[in-house]
Amino acid sequence: MSDKKTFPIGFWNILHATAGGVDAVQDWKDFGATLTLSGFFHPGEDKEEFRRMLDRCYEQNIRIIVGDVRLSFPNVNNGHYEEDVREIVADFADHPAVYGFHLGDEPNGDQTENAIRAVQIFREICPHKEAYLNLLPWYSDQYGGVEARVAIQSDYKSYLIDFIRRSGIRILSYDCYFQLEELHGKPTERAWETYFRNLRIFREAADETGVQLWYTTLAVGHMYYRCPTEDDIRWEISTAAASGVNALFYWFLYSGFYNANYRVAPINELFERTQTFDWVSTENRIFQDVFGTLFTELKLEQVYHIREAFGGYPLLGENDDPCIRSAMATNDVPLLISRFTREDDPDCYYYAIVCNSVTEPASVYVDLQRECEVYEVRSTGGTVAKRSRGICSRFQYWFAPGQMWVVAIPKPEQ
């Protein structure tokens, strides 16, 4: 497995763990996966076939979080949960492609204690691999006007922090699809507000507890969620990375069967690749090639929104940031600008600038607090490269919908 630093990108796999055999790993590679969930292993499945799939993942530089139905937190009080954990760990934890184990999805308030206990048991038995457990997002009922929170918490961030500290989990993971929620062909009132509020709340909880933030976005239409376009996918990647997400997963890759009202999954019910597969694959691989290594090295300091603010993020004021005074886009397209630090380059701030629209391209002008040298930043072959744009007090880029550019600007002298 390569030592090259890659940004973790993966997907949810609702199939059995050995479905498709070793050939399925080519789907994962072509999708752009670098760290992903396996399908769900069931008692009686062929362990050696699954290990052969893990071998192929190792060859393709894909790390795996093993799913086994017996590990799911609702089983924690079945009387043999610890025995099952030990058996599953003995079967697979030694494999070099295995990053961790999947302990379940979306515990509600009544299931919180079982979810915490499942993580505690796993970490006692297998402290050298990661426990992965995905949590519900914060959301509100826009029609009834009642906030719906797990465990009826008045402060959802406090709930998350309590969950992390009591369980000992080192990855804070959640899913949120409200950004694609539509009624009568228009985004719902809560769509983007809920999406960005979750990015803010979960990032704050991760920062206060020192854990990684992983996020699952949407690659398939279902319920009231429309089918994403390539512009949507680019926007989902850019806004998540610029808001401090450390790993990005997709719900989901394979539809697998005639499943509710799911539509245009990346791989459909007939196990054929769709246009969605091509779009997600393209945007995953472009992001990895241009920015992947860089975003494994950046630490988020601040997120600003331009023209229209969502989720409790502040609008950028002229004196708010040490380097950027203001930004504007043609046709009043909204923007997102984030400030990061990078340990290997302590004399610069790094800025991710994102076109915060899924439909509008824009020419964007950024005004600086002072005239200084500005560097364009890219990932190149697993390293980070800076190229000078020259000395200026204003710079400009064209953006596609959801597109991101990253620049480095020297910190002002103290």
Side-chain angles (χ1 to χ4, degrees):
M1 185 166 282
S2 171
D3 291 331
K4 175 182 173 182
K5 287 189 289 187
T6 56
F7 191 85
I9 296 175
F11 56 85
W12 283 69
N13 186 344
I14 64 173
L15 306 180
H16 280 223
T18 55
V22 295
D23 291 341
V25 177
Q26 192 61 49
D27 288 335
W28 310 351
K29 181 69 173 180
D30 293 346
F31 189 78
T34 58
L35 192 167
T36 194
L37 297 164
S38 75
F40 290 97
F41 196 87
H42 291 71
E45 275 193 82
D46 188 337
K47 295 178 185 179
E48 292 309 311
E49 175 68 5
F50 186 53
R51 288 187 67 93
R52 284 190 288 271
M53 295 177 72
L54 294 175
D55 291 341
R56 182 66 60 86
C57 289
Y58 186 76
E59 294 167 4
Q60 296 283 6
N61 296 314
I62 300 172
R63 294 173 292 173
I64 293 294
I65 297 172
V66 174
D68 189 302
V69 294
R70 294 169 292 174
L71 287 176
S72 188
F73 64 81
N75 299 322
V76 76
N77 295 318
N78 63 12
H80 49 84
Y81 186 78
E82 292 187 34
E83 180 182 345
D84 289 342
V85 172
R86 293 183 190 279
E87 179 181 338
I88 296 161
V89 167
D91 286 340
F92 302 121
D94 66 312
H95 198 286
V98 173
Y99 181 85
F101 290 81
H102 182 195
L103 305 186
D105 185 32
E106 296 186 340
N108 61 34
D110 293 337
Q111 297 170 317
T112 295
E113 295 305 318
N114 284 350
I116 288 173
R117 185 59 186 142
V119 176
Q120 292 171 338
I121 290 171
F122 176 85
R123 285 184 46 76
E124 290 168 3
I125 293 172
C126 188
H128 58 292
K129 297 292 182 181
E130 294 298 337
Y132 175 82
L133 195 151
N134 188 63
L135 299 177
L136 283 162
W138 174 92
Y139 64 99
S140 64
D141 183 348
Q142 70 181 107
Y143 308 109
V146 178
E147 291 183 331
R149 291 189 173 95
V150 176
I152 320 177
Q153 295 286 325
S154 60
D155 181 349
Y156 195 50
K157 188 175 82 171
S158 295
Y159 170 82
L160 298 175
I161 291 172
D162 179 72
F163 188 98
I164 295 165
R165 288 177 174 164
R166 289 204 289 135
S167 68
I169 203 163
R170 294 180 292 202
I171 296 167
L172 176 60
S173 174
Y174 78 102
D175 56 81
C176 180
Y177 314 140
F178 289 103
Q179 66 274 17
L180 296 181
E181 184 181 62
E182 289 190 349
L183 286 175
H184 310 300
K186 297 180 180 180
T188 63
E189 293 179 8
R190 67 178 178 180
W192 280 28
E193 178 67 23
T194 306
Y195 172 76
F196 281 108
R197 181 173 293 200
N198 275 289
L199 283 171
R200 180 179 60 81
I201 289 173
F202 276 82
R203 180 70 267 169
E204 290 174 357
D207 284 344
E208 291 186 30
T209 53
V211 301
Q212 296 184 56
L213 176 58
W214 292 18
Y215 166 57
T216 296
T217 193
L218 191 59
V220 56
H222 68 288
M223 295 166 53
Y224 290 118
Y225 307 127
R226 63 179 172 82
C227 298
T229 66
E230 186 168 2
D231 287 340
D232 289 315
I233 298 299
R234 185 186 312 111
W235 178 89
E236 289 179 320
I237 295 171
S238 297
T239 54
S243 299
V245 167
N246 303 119
L248 185 68
F249 281 27
Y250 292 86
W251 177 260
F252 45 53
L253 177 56
Y254 300 99
S255 184
F257 53 91
Y258 195 65
N259 187 10
N261 71 334
Y262 284 97
R263 50 206 184 269
V264 201
I267 296 180
N268 66 20
E269 295 89 342
L270 302 175
F271 289 89
E272 299 167 341
R273 295 183 181 186
T274 69
Q275 63 181 6
T276 307
F277 185 98
D278 294 337
W279 289 339
V280 180
S281 168
T282 296
E283 294 303 326
N284 281 343
R285 290 180 293 117
I286 288 174
F287 172 77
Q288 194 71 259
D289 183 61
V290 178
F291 296 125
T293 299
L294 173 64
F295 274 89
T296 68
E297 299 182 4
L298 296 181
K299 181 175 176 57
L300 181 68
E301 278 202 346
Q302 181 64 58
V303 178
Y304 303 107
H305 287 198
I306 312 296
R307 194 182 73 80
E308 188 172 6
F310 302 96
Y313 285 113
L315 288 168
L316 175 64
E318 289 189 353
N319 298 311
D320 291 340
D321 187 80
C323 294
I324 294 180
R325 180 175 179 82
S326 63
M328 61 84 63
T330 53
N331 300 320
D332 286 330
V333 173
L335 306 172
L336 183 159
I337 296 180
S338 302
R339 184 178 70 246
F340 296 84
T341 56
R342 179 170 169 248
E343 186 176 356
D344 287 350
D345 188 16
D347 295 330
C348 281
Y349 287 121
Y350 284 67
Y351 290 89
I353 307 163
V354 179
C355 176
N356 199 12
S357 169
V358 297
T359 56
E360 299 291 333
S363 178
V364 175
Y365 296 85
V366 178
D367 290 316
L368 305 181
Q369 298 287 11
R370 71 196 195 286
E371 189 173 75
C372 63
E373 192 161 18
V374 175
Y375 300 88
E376 189 173 295
V377 188
R378 301 284 183 90
S379 298
T380 303
T383 62
V384 175
K386 291 164 56 181
R387 179 179 68 86
S388 176
R389 289 179 50 97
I391 297 173
C392 61
S393 60
R394 165 182 273 201
F395 61 90
Q396 178 268 341
Y397 282 108
W398 268 99
F399 286 74
Q403 188 177 3
M404 175 168 61
W405 291 88
V406 178
V407 297
I409 302 174
K411 295 178 180 178
E413 296 181 4
Q414 302 299 319

